[in-house]
Amino acid sequence: MLKDATAIVGIGQTAFAKQLPETEKALACRAILAALDDAGIAPSEVDAFASYTMEETDEVEVAKAIGAGDVTFFSKVGYGGGGSCATVGHLAAAVATGQASVGVAWRSRKRGSGPRPWKNTAVQLPTPGQWTRPYGLLRPADEIGMLARRYMHEYGATRDHLFNVALACRNRANQNPAAIMYERPLTREMYMTSRWISEPLCLFDNCLETDGALACVVVSAARARDCRQKPVYVHSAAQGLPAQHHGMVNYWNDDPLTGPAWTAARHLWKTADFGPQDVDVAQIYDAFTPLIPLSLEGYGFCGRGEGAAFTEGGALELGGRLPLNTGGGGLSEAYVHGFNLITEGVKQLRGTSTAQVPSAATCLVTAGEGVPTSALLLRS
Amino acid sequence: MLNPVIDEDGAPFWEFTARGELRIQACAEEDCGELRFPPRPCCPHCQSFATEWRLMSGRGRIWSYVLPHPPLLPDYAAQAPYNAVLVELADAPRIRLAGNVVTAPDAPLNSLDPARLRIGAPVRVAFTEIDGVAVPRWLLERG
């Protein structure tokens, strides 16, 4: 049983910026060493690694650089931002089943200053692209915008609902000195008059491409009690690849508006001692604002088609029904493939967030919706 | 422009478009016959590898659309904002094809006034050749 058998005991991160001088490998090492220091665990004790398939810095290089001991478990999770929570899930499973004792998950990324695949014509496009790319559906914003337009049409969702999401994330970033948007408030006027990226999505519906790295350390619950920090238990973990799913463009599913979140959620709640109504704070993957109403529905915070209305009346703000992305999220803190959502969840349950939800004891963290995804329930 | 990177499963689709036909892969098992898209080696309903390509009427309705703006790849940026649509086929509403609605098969991607686009609008297929590949385009039905 995975439930509460393991805990996150260390978190670490580098600065977040549009451009950082160091390599992804150096940033990865800095974040991992910071997380181990936070946990009070020596690098030589690390025997498990997990990251994303899109991570350029592999475990061989990282283990060598930080001075890890013999490594007995390593794993990479596919599908970009869908992998974040699964890295912790894989480590938790490895530690709980005795395959390793100290696991490190990480993500290092230079997308603020580095290349983006949809800007490079020389790159051979992956095969599924033959059904979308020739028509100019080139970027994730175009692909998610398609679902957003349909969602707005079916359920009466408006740009004001999407603004509610962008604003909640920005307001939290304004409280977080590490966030890229720390000193940059957002107004409705700014949102409504900003340039289009892919109508119906405007500039502020899109995440911040960022340079930076983050890491966390997973150990057994027994070991966690002796660590430097208050343990944050991995209560439930799930991945989600729905039947007939097609990565990014879930267009050929019977119901494209019920994406991978629904699949991950069913398993996540099945193995949990609490339900959506008991979640104190949520860190929901926000590469694009429409992913929030879709995820609110998928993870069961409201019914089908009610995700947009859920955002009304300050529900996602501090003091609201479900404080969201309290570090600022991908929209306003940093977009490092969603790994900052995990570390922010840990901060909330330690009571050390810059936008602390009073006595938060349970947190949902999710990974990229629209792609094969993953999610975690954390508890203190 | 990006030409489709055609794989073995998808090749028949493009061979048929070259003949001006919109065909969708279907299970050739007598008691199944399910359509499927994108193409793949076997039927997800009955696991049969027997495959046929069924001719569609070429009529459909707009399921959703976006209007991409730059930054985009140069060829696309030159025509932006253009529309990219998802068309649900009249013969098989669960089959949705990405495409572009244009005023004529060879017209630019931005040839149609976006104000004329709406979800549910009926469209019909036409084909245009781009670098040797016959690519489906969509025209608004009159009325």
Side-chain angles (χ1 to χ4, degrees):
Chain A
M1 196 68 175
L2 194 67
K3 190 193 294 177
D4 304 331
T6 61
I8 299 174
V9 291
I11 53 174
Q13 68 189 57
T14 66
F16 303 133
K18 194 80 182 162
Q19 188 158 15
L20 294 173
E22 288 188 304
T23 63
E24 285 180 342
K25 194 195 295 185
L27 294 171
C29 292
R30 286 193 187 281
I32 291 168
L33 291 172
L36 287 165
D37 183 56
D38 185 50
I41 293 176
S44 60
E45 289 193 69
V46 175
D47 57 4
F49 286 100
S51 194
Y52 307 53
T53 57
M54 286 188 180
E55 171 61 40
E56 297 291 323
T57 308
D58 72 29
E59 55 273 350
V60 176
E61 293 299 313
V62 167
K64 186 164 53 184
I66 68 162
D70 289 348
V71 175
T72 57
F73 180 92
F74 37 95
S75 164
K76 289 206 164 194
V77 185
Y79 310 107
S84 59
C85 292
T87 62
V88 173
H90 287 200
L91 291 178
V95 170
T97 55
Q99 296 176 78
S101 56
V102 175
V104 164
W106 85 98
R107 183 74 174 104
S108 174
R109 205 163 188 250
K110 292 190 74 168
R111 271 280 278 278
S113 58
R116 300 176 197 181
W118 55 91
K119 291 181 84 171
N120 185 355
T121 37
V123 167
Q124 177 82 354
L125 293 159
T127 295
Q130 74 186 291
W131 309 114
T132 54
R133 294 291 184 268
Y135 309 111
L137 281 167
L138 306 176
R139 308 160 299 181
D142 307 318
E143 298 167 327
I144 297 299
M146 191 76 86
L147 295 178
R149 169 99 58 189
R150 180 71 190 191
Y151 181 82
M152 294 162 99
H153 170 81
E154 277 196 30
Y155 299 118
T158 66
R159 293 192 67 214
D160 266 301
H161 290 120
L162 302 182
F163 169 65
N164 290 340
V165 172
L167 182 65
C169 292
R170 183 62 66 91
N171 286 342
R172 299 295 82 73
N174 292 161
Q175 295 173 261
N176 174 9
I180 288 180
M181 293 297 182
Y182 174 47
E183 288 179 316
R184 298 172 68 179
L186 178 68
T187 66
R188 185 176 181 281
E189 168 80 9
M190 287 164 67
Y191 178 91
M192 291 296 172
T193 58
S194 69
R195 66 185 170 87
W196 294 113
I197 301 297
S198 193
E199 295 176 55
L201 302 184
C202 71
L203 178 66
F204 296 112
D205 292 311
N206 291 260
C207 60
L208 307 166
E209 294 288 6
T210 305
D211 284 8
L214 301 105
C216 70
V217 181
V218 176
V219 299
S220 71
R223 171 81 189 262
R225 285 191 279 276
D226 301 326
C227 287
R228 201 174 270 170
Q229 300 283 355
K230 181 179 164 188
V232 169
Y233 295 97
V234 179
H235 184 69
S236 181
Q239 290 181 263
L241 195 177
Q244 297 297 311
H245 176 68
H246 189 98
M248 270 325 284
V249 289
N250 203 32
Y251 302 163
W252 300 294
N253 215 305
D254 279 358
D255 187 353
L257 297 181
T258 59
W262 294 72
T263 303
R266 277 190 286 274
H267 184 78
L268 197 68
W269 298 122
K270 193 169 68 187
T271 62
D273 290 344
F274 56 91
Q277 68 282 359
D278 307 308
V279 168
D280 295 325
V281 59
Q283 315 296 336
I284 299 181
Y285 193 89
D286 59 343
F288 307 101
T289 55
L291 298 183
I292 299 299
L294 289 169
S295 297
L296 289 170
E297 295 173 20
Y299 286 98
F301 293 101
C302 58
R304 177 77 194 271
E306 297 172 357
F310 186 99
T311 68
E312 293 170 2
L316 306 179
E317 303 282 345
L318 281 186
R321 282 170 71 189
L322 188 69
L324 179 83
N325 299 0
T326 43
L331 288 165
S332 280
E333 182 187 27
Y335 183 63
V336 191
H337 258 160
F339 209 99
N340 53 324
L341 299 173
I342 300 171
T343 54
E344 175 60 21
V346 171
K347 289 174 193 171
Q348 279 288 347
L349 300 185
R350 287 178 176 181
T352 60
S353 171
T354 51
Q356 185 62 42
V357 172
S359 54
T362 58
C363 180
L364 168 73
V365 186
T366 78
E369 173 62 350
V371 289
T373 193
S374 52
L376 294 170
L377 286 176
L378 303 177
R379 56 162 287 262
S380 57
Chain B
M1 306 292 279
L2 293 173
N3 256 354
V5 179
I6 296 167
D7 65 357
E8 269 185 40
D9 294 327
F13 179 90
W14 301 105
E15 286 159 18
F16 288 119
T17 61
R19 297 188 221 159
E21 293 177 356
L22 184 69
R23 284 183 185 259
I24 297 294
Q25 191 187 32
C27 179
E29 209 64 47
E30 227 174 78
D31 52 358
C32 180
E34 285 274 350
L35 288 160
R36 59 182 190 260
F37 189 85
R40 71 205 73 163
C42 60
C43 174
H45 300 275
C46 74
Q47 287 70 45
S48 168
F49 283 72
T51 288
E52 63 183 15
W53 285 78
R54 209 170 294 163
L55 183 66
M56 299 285 117
S57 68
R59 294 181 189 281
R61 298 196 312 160
I62 295 175
W63 188 85
S64 189
Y65 63 97
V66 289
L67 303 174
H69 291 245
L72 289 157
L73 293 171
D75 289 346
Y76 292 89
Q79 301 180 63
Y82 56 87
N83 69 73
V85 300
L86 210 55
V87 172
E88 53 183 10
L89 298 182
D91 314 281
R94 284 161 55 229
I95 306 290
R96 307 178 188 94
L97 298 181
N100 310 101
V101 181
V102 289
T103 54
D106 300 326
L109 298 186
N110 61 0
S111 54
L112 186 88
D113 177 359
R116 297 187 61 201
L117 289 168
R118 63 176 176 82
I119 288 177
V123 291
R124 65 185 159 86
V125 77
F127 298 93
T128 188
E129 196 182 300
I130 300 172
D131 298 332
V133 179
V135 175
R137 293 266 187 264
W138 298 90
L139 306 172
L140 284 178
E141 294 270 29
R142 289 214 176 106

